[in-house]
Amino acid sequence: MSTPAAPASPPTLTEALASLPPLPSIDFSLFGEVESKPVTRIKRFTAAFLARNWVTIPHVTHQDEADITALEALRRNHVAPSPDVKITVLPFLMKAVVKALAQYPQFNASLDATGANLVFKKYFHIGIAVDTPRGLLVPVIRNVDRKSIAELSAELAAISRKAREKGLSMDEMSGGCFSISSLGGIGGTAFTPIINAPEVAILGVCRSFQKPMPNRDDPQRIDWRTMLPLSLSYDHRVIDGADAARFCASLAASLAEPESLA
Ligand code: CAO
């Protein structure tokens, strides 16, 4: 009797990708008028990393909403450090993220190169996605836990202006623990942000909106509340769905009672 053959081992990711059919080369001008423009250096660079992260990390995106009615009132009373600096929701969000990272340290971690160890970080450096004319850049704001809302607002204004006008050095984009991608100034209700590896999670934020909610003390009454949509993408090798739900609940709780963040 012959011994059954051992099952073939599954292809590696590199083998699987190499076996995909190539994209067809199409002359689009056969179908109508076209114009070809070179892709910027930043976009080509970003594309390579986004593609690697998208295919190598098992992404799941958890959606939630935070009640920021009280935060909006607090924000409007906040004095900006200078006339060219706006106090937006973003610095409050950064502080809330740091609180949640401290509470759930697996979000402030990275797998090492072997994938066998999880490295927990004791510092809180947050990357912020900035939309620039040449493409997406992610400057890192260091030690967010030690900075005030006014300091974070000033730093955000300066670094996003530099990103748009002059670009950023690798140093200014390195060392992040967790990233935030805010489309709140533009719109949308939810999206799937791509994890900025070796980080293990990224928070996407869309435009706040008014939502009728039952009054807490008298559920027969309806209050209009300002809600912020949260989209948390996480690396499912490191983080479970329940952790993601807890992380978002913690964020929402901090944002709903923002005095501790200011
Ligand atoms: N809901 C409603 N309004 C919001 C908001 C939200 N969640 N977030 C910001 N706004 C408002 C601000 O209060 C501001 O209002 P005013 O003009 O009345 O003062 C306006 O929108 C513009 O804000 P902003 O974009 O200048 O400032 P910010 O601190 O919110 O964000 C920055 C700064 C740099 C993150 C942002 O300008 C940016 O580049 N966002 C794009 C990021 C991106 O492209 N992400 C996708 C990457 S792919 O994953």
Side-chain angles (χ1 to χ4, degrees):
M1 229 170 93
S2 62
T3 330
S9 53
T12 64
L13 187 61
T14 314
E15 286 163 350
L17 290 176
S19 69
L20 293 176
L23 278 173
S25 164
I26 295 178
D27 178 359
F28 297 102
S29 68
L30 294 175
F31 308 106
E33 192 185 332
V34 293
E35 182 190 359
S36 176
K37 290 183 180 177
V39 176
T40 65
R41 201 177 59 85
I42 291 179
K43 283 204 177 204
R44 276 184 284 139
F45 191 72
T46 311
F49 286 104
L50 287 174
R52 179 200 63 188
N53 297 347
W54 185 247
V55 294
T56 59
I57 301 174
H59 281 67
V60 179
T61 306
H62 182 87
Q63 315 286 352
D64 206 343
E65 288 171 1
D67 184 336
I68 57 160
T69 314
L71 195 157
E72 283 296 83
L74 187 79
R75 180 172 78 85
R76 293 213 174 85
N77 288 331
H78 234 81
V79 182
S82 70
D84 58 337
V85 171
K86 275 189 281 190
I87 306 273
T88 64
V89 173
L90 197 50
F92 293 93
L93 204 54
M94 292 164 76
K95 298 292 268 185
V97 161
V98 164
K99 266 180 98 169
L101 290 176
Q103 206 176 346
Y104 301 104
Q106 67 272 42
F107 286 80
N108 198 17
S110 288
L111 285 168
D112 71 6
T114 67
N117 299 295
L118 198 54
V119 181
F120 290 87
K121 297 157 201 172
K122 310 287 176 180
Y123 49 84
F124 300 95
H125 302 341
I126 306 293
I128 303 292
V130 177
D131 177 33
T132 84
R134 279 163 292 163
L136 182 70
L137 290 176
V138 187
V140 173
I141 311 279
R142 293 181 197 277
N143 301 312
V144 170
D145 52 319
R146 297 190 219 150
K147 292 176 180 163
S148 67
I149 295 293
E151 285 170 326
L152 290 173
S153 301
E155 200 171 328
L156 266 171
I159 200 80
S160 52
R161 193 176 313 119
K162 180 165 185 275
R164 286 178 178 133
E165 290 171 3
K166 298 188 188 150
L168 299 172
S169 65
M170 281 312 289
D171 200 38
E172 287 169 312
M173 295 188 282
S174 306
C177 303
F178 181 100
S179 296
I180 301 177
S181 177
S182 173
L183 294 174
I186 306 169
T189 53
F191 68 111
T192 304
I194 298 180
I195 296 164
N196 193 10
E199 296 168 18
V200 293
I202 178 170
L203 180 69
V205 181
C206 286
R207 196 163 191 78
S208 59
F209 64 98
Q210 297 296 310
K211 183 174 183 177
M213 302 273 278
N215 180 279
R216 279 190 204 133
D217 303 321
D218 175 6
Q220 298 306 312
R221 257 184 49 206
I222 296 294
D223 291 336
W224 284 91
R225 311 292 299 178
T226 307
M227 306 303 290
L228 183 70
L230 307 174
S231 302
L232 177 78
S233 290
Y234 57 92
D235 182 338
H236 210 340
R237 295 171 302 176
V238 175
I239 290 161
D240 292 332
D243 297 333
R246 288 187 197 103
F247 187 90
C248 281
S250 160
L251 271 181
S254 302
L255 294 167
E257 291 182 2
E259 288 75 14
S260 63
L261 304 174

